[in-house]
Amino acid sequence: MKQRKQRRDKIARLISWGHWFTFFNILLVLAIGTLYIEASAAPGSALGVIYLIVNWLGHFAFLPFIVFIILIFPFCIFIPISRVLRGIATLVASFGLIALVADALFYRQYGYHLNTYSLSQLASDAESAFAGASFLILLGMLLIFVVLLVFELGLSNIAWKRLDSLQQKHWGPTFASIFVACFLASHSIHVWADAVFYTPITKQDDMFPLSYPTTAKTLMSKHGLLVEERQAITQNLIRTRADISLQYPLNELMCSRQSNPNDTLLIAVDKLTSSQAAKLMELSSSPVKAASLREFSSVTTPVLGQTHVSAALFELTYGLPDLYQRAVQQANTPPAYLTVLESYGIELRADDEFALADITSNNPNASLELLYYRQDQWAELVAQVKIALTEVQNQQLQLIIVGLTPAVSSGTETYAINNLQVPLLISSNLSWQAQPLVLLSDIMPSVLHSYMRCANEAASYSVGVNMTEKVRKLPLMTSYGTDLVIYQEQMTSVIEADANIRTFANDTYEPLSGVVPATPILVDGIRKLKRFSNNNTAAID
């Protein structure tokens, strides 16, 4: 009996220590949680601020508590050895804190939380900054972990040695009650906010990690109580995201001049069939001339055109999605790279369809010519290409021919990759890397690489990829009129103007019911797509 009583007392003492150790970690986690609050937009209302505070207290108190219940409490019962328990608790707390710190730092930079997709995004961005950056990040996290481990060891020992004096404190239950009340209140408030679409609260859903607030949507939607109001609210949110407050370019272009560039001829055709593209590749009887175009494989590199010629010309010229077309035209803003080309003595000649002013020079170093042809101008196009092939053969010209809109469509799923593909032919003196997906916005940054190299590559004036040096990674978001489209390896998601999201398989076009892009993909896609807007939305409400 005495041994049993001693064992019960020992277990009770260990559980009491675990409570206090967890309490101190709750205070530490609450401090780390302020990083999420500081990095997020203000709620916008007094009730939103109240919910933010209540949710912060309840959520970050819940995380250490649930870890204690699942991972530490069982050891108190089955292995009531203080040193072993404190060692295990220290390791568990250290790993939990380093994960939270890493997620908080990532959230401050990207606006969403760590997962498998975001880890690959972080590694890619780090290596694009400079070689070895991902290793330095890993090393930094390791050092922070060591610091946290030492801190947790000290905290566990202090809590153990002063356990008797801590047990005499009477404010422990008070704090516990406050945390429980905040946890329950935050979920209750969110149920109401979700039911009435109160955005200052619901837009905080993705702010904290591992946060799954209780909602009223599922139950009420089954009874048809939310359908009409939901459509009205979500349509308003989509329109808000579509608003563009132009900030173009992002900053002044800082570029260095390329020596001895070749002339470039870029030919855009409103519609170009695959058979016509094949005929263009076989125009010359000279094998050298024909090979100059055959070296590009359009089969392995899908190139997506636009649904309208005007949108395609805009995307091709500016390297921006057509989301910006109206704002750019209203502001009468020319492409940012024109001033750089003019300063380098590069002549620019463009057909009227491109809406660009020519750049002339008394002693031009090279020229960039943009020509536009309609499909019914086939004879003129053939004649122009024949002339250009001669200069390509002499290594005096870089030639690009691209279709702007798909010549043939199956009529199902307009935004499917196969239905939007257009031919893209380039001469052999252009070395562009194969991409999983090419947009019209990628072409101009790739062409301009022959004339200039800029800090941040083309990021200051384009959302496109310089295909000479970079390989794009999916997923990819772009715009077609009022619709946003997300391309992934196996599926495509369309966010329509009425806020409806539908997803279909890339190979069969089969609708994927209930499948929507992950939140990080949506957030990252919108963030990248709207980089040139002052009201860039970094998160989804």
Side-chain angles (χ1 to χ4, degrees), residues 285-317:
S285 59
S286 166
V288 177
K289 293 181 182 178
S292 66
L293 288 177
R294 284 194 183 119
E295 289 184 7
F296 181 82
S297 175
S298 61
V299 175
T300 58
T301 304
V303 183
L304 301 189
Q306 266 284 353
T307 55
H308 298 90
V309 172
S310 61
L313 286 169
F314 173 82
E315 184 175 341
L316 178 65
T317 305

Side-chain angles (χ1 to χ4, degrees), residues 337-414:
Y337 55 80
L338 291 184
T339 55
V340 180
L341 293 181
E342 185 174 11
S343 66
Y344 290 167
I346 307 297
E347 280 195 340
L348 174 68
R349 297 185 293 274
D351 283 346
D352 294 339
E353 287 79 4
F354 291 92
L356 296 178
D358 289 351
I359 297 176
T360 58
S361 175
N362 294 328
N363 187 24
N365 294 304
S367 67
L368 170 60
E369 189 170 8
L370 310 178
L371 300 181
Y372 172 80
Y373 287 91
R374 298 187 308 274
Q375 190 177 32
D376 58 11
Q377 294 177 301
W378 175 249
E380 294 90 332
L381 173 60
V382 169
Q384 178 64 63
V385 173
K386 284 183 177 180
I387 296 172
L389 282 173
T390 304
E391 297 184 49
V392 170
Q393 183 184 12
N394 297 329
Q395 297 296 311
Q396 297 175 347
L397 181 71
Q398 299 174 150
L399 177 61
I400 302 105
I401 305 173
V402 62
L404 297 177
T405 59
V408 179
S409 178
S410 66
T412 60
E413 296 299 352
T414 303

Side-chain angles (χ1 to χ4, degrees), residues 51 54-55 57-59 61-62 176-192 213-214:
Y51 171 79
V54 171
N55 189 33
L57 288 171
H59 182 69
F62 174 78
S177 300
I178 292 174
F179 291 146
V180 171
C182 287
F183 180 79
L184 296 176
S186 65
H187 282 265
S188 300
I189 295 172
H190 190 274
V191 169
W192 168 81
T214 307

Side-chain angles (χ1 to χ4, degrees), residues 60 85 102 109 112 146 155 170 177 258 269 285 409 436 495 499 515:
F60 286 106
L85 179 62
Q109 179 67 27
Y112 56 90
V146 171
L155 183 63
H170 300 290
S177 300
Q258 294 282 69
V269 187
S285 59
S409 178
I495 307 174
V515 177

Side-chain angles (χ1 to χ4, degrees), residues 37 41-59 178 181-190 192-193 198-204 207-208:
I37 298 175
S45 72
L47 184 56
V49 172
I50 292 173
Y51 171 79
L52 174 61
I53 296 173
V54 171
N55 189 33
W56 168 66
L57 288 171
H59 182 69
I178 292 174
C182 287
F183 180 79
L184 296 176
S186 65
H187 282 265
S188 300
I189 295 172
H190 190 274
W192 168 81
Y198 190 67
T199 304
I201 289 178
T202 57
K203 75 177 183 179
Q204 302 178 37
M207 182 184 299
F208 297 144

Side-chain angles (χ1 to χ4, degrees), residues 51-322:
Y51 171 79
L52 174 61
I53 296 173
V54 171
N55 189 33
W56 168 66
L57 288 171
H59 182 69
F60 286 106
F62 174 78
L63 292 181
F65 175 73
I66 199 66
V67 170
F68 167 77
I69 293 296
I70 295 175
L71 299 179
I72 299 178
F73 180 76
F75 288 103
C76 295
I77 305 298
F78 299 109
I79 310 179
I81 303 174
S82 63
R83 289 188 177 180
V84 174
L85 179 62
R86 283 183 285 157
I88 293 173
T90 296
L91 285 174
V92 169
S94 299
F95 278 112
L97 287 174
I98 189 62
L100 185 62
V101 169
D103 183 78
L105 295 177
F106 184 89
Y107 181 85
R108 290 171 61 84
Q109 179 67 27
Y110 290 90
Y112 56 90
H113 300 286
L114 283 173
N115 55 27
T116 53
Y117 166 76
S118 55
L119 284 174
S120 62
Q121 178 71 26
L122 175 62
S124 175
D125 290 351
E127 290 301 322
S128 65
F130 61 90
S134 56
F135 173 76
L136 289 180
I137 292 175
L138 185 62
L139 182 61
M141 288 294 103
L142 181 60
L143 291 175
I144 295 175
F145 175 76
V146 171
V147 172
L148 290 173
L149 183 62
V150 172
F151 177 82
E152 289 293 325
L153 282 171
L155 183 63
S156 67
N157 287 330
I158 292 173
W160 180 256
K161 290 179 180 180
R162 300 185 180 181
L163 182 59
D164 293 333
S165 61
L166 288 172
Q167 288 177 329
Q168 296 176 4
K169 306 294 184 183
H170 300 290
W171 37 265
T174 303
F175 276 100
S177 300
I178 292 174
F179 291 146
V180 171
C182 287
F183 180 79
L184 296 176
S186 65
H187 282 265
S188 300
I189 295 172
H190 190 274
V191 169
W192 168 81
D194 187 68
V196 300
F197 301 97
Y198 190 67
T199 304
I201 289 178
T202 57
K203 75 177 183 179
Q204 302 178 37
D205 287 358
D206 297 318
M207 182 184 299
F208 297 144
L210 301 176
S211 176
Y212 305 99
T214 307
T215 69
K217 295 175 182 176
T218 303
L219 180 61
M220 297 180 70
S221 293
K222 288 181 180 179
H223 297 282
L225 299 177
L226 295 181
V227 175
E228 293 184 1
E229 189 173 2
R230 175 181 298 282
Q231 288 180 348
I233 297 296
T234 49
Q235 285 176 14
N236 182 61
L237 292 176
I238 290 293
R239 292 191 191 99
T240 301
R241 292 193 189 102
D243 290 340
I244 296 294
S245 177
L246 192 64
Q247 183 184 358
Y248 176 83
L250 283 181
N251 44 58
E252 184 179 356
L253 270 60
M254 301 179 63
C255 307
S256 61
R257 179 176 175 177
Q258 294 282 69
S259 59
N260 302 319
N262 287 333
D263 295 339
T264 301
L265 174 60
L266 172 58
I267 299 177
V269 187
D270 63 347
K271 292 182 185 296
L272 188 64
T273 65
S274 56
S275 60
Q276 288 175 325
K279 290 179 181 179
L280 290 177
M281 295 173 66
E282 298 171 356
L283 277 178
S284 173
S285 59
S286 166
V288 177
K289 293 181 182 178
S292 66
L293 288 177
R294 284 194 183 119
E295 289 184 7
F296 181 82
S297 175
S298 61
V299 175
T300 58
T301 304
V303 183
L304 301 189
Q306 266 284 353
T307 55
H308 298 90
V309 172
S310 61
L313 286 169
F314 173 82
E315 184 175 341
L316 178 65
T317 305
Y318 282 83
L320 298 174
D322 67 342

